Amino acid sequence: MKYIFTLLVFIGSFQLVSQAQQRDGERLEALKVAYLTKKLSLTSEEAQKFWPVYNEYMDELKKVRADSRGGDELKREEKLLEVRKKYQTSFSKALSPERANQFFKAEKEFYSYVQKELQERRQQRQD
């Protein structure tokens, strides 16, 4: 009986952690969408064309990351670059070639900002 109770507590806590991580991921994605919308100054017409392409792009990036987890890092980076090159054409059709390039820069800036923010928060916890 004690074993079953311990097992149920473990499963319950695992689900709570999993849900918290999922909410954090959703919150981060919402922040990214807001950041990109502001940074790219998307009109409603551009947004209608851009976001479906963006969603496909993100799905493909996630798939590459999941498929290459624990594998050769250089091959993983090559595959990610191939996806970016492939979608540059699609983003250029939804926006313009210059704005598509601006998207990739803004995406990189966002991830740099998030990484910096995480480092600062970790450092504050240690102090």
Side-chain angles (χ1 to χ4, degrees), residues 17-59:
V17 169
S18 175
Q19 288 174 351
Q21 288 175 341
Q22 186 176 15
R23 278 181 277 169
D24 286 345
E26 290 171 0
R27 199 170 85 205
L28 184 62
E29 186 63 27
L31 289 171
K32 183 179 176 185
V33 166
Y35 180 85
L36 292 173
T37 300
K38 182 179 178 185
K39 195 75 172 176
L40 297 174
S41 303
L42 296 174
T43 66
S44 59
E45 184 179 306
E46 289 171 331
Q48 286 178 343
K49 294 176 184 175
F50 175 79
W51 291 114
V53 174
Y54 171 81
N55 291 332
E56 289 176 23
Y57 165 74
M58 288 305 297
D59 289 344

Side-chain angles (χ1 to χ4, degrees), residues 6 19 21 45 69 72 80 84 95 100 116 118 123:
T6 305
Q19 288 174 351
Q21 288 175 341
E45 184 179 306
R69 189 172 287 148
D72 186 338
L80 292 171
R84 288 183 178 100
L95 304 171
K116 180 182 173 191
L118 286 173
Q123 193 168 15

Side-chain angles (χ1 to χ4, degrees), residues 27 116-125:
R27 199 170 85 205
K116 180 182 173 191
E117 192 70 26
L118 286 173
Q119 286 174 344
E120 287 177 5
R121 289 181 185 192
R122 284 184 191 133
Q123 193 168 15
Q124 286 176 354
R125 286 185 201 150

Side-chain angles (χ1 to χ4, degrees), residues 93-109:
K93 290 178 184 174
L95 304 171
S96 69
E98 296 81 23
R99 303 256 327 274
N101 192 43
Q102 186 182 3
F103 158 71
F104 287 108
K105 285 181 181 178
E107 183 181 44
K108 195 173 187 177
E109 287 172 8

Side-chain angles (χ1 to χ4, degrees), residues 64 68 72-85:
V64 167
S68 60
D72 186 338
E73 183 66 19
L74 289 177
K75 287 184 182 179
R76 178 179 167 267
E77 289 297 322
E78 284 177 347
K79 289 179 184 178
L80 292 171
L81 182 59
E82 288 172 15
V83 171
R84 288 183 178 100
K85 286 180 178 180

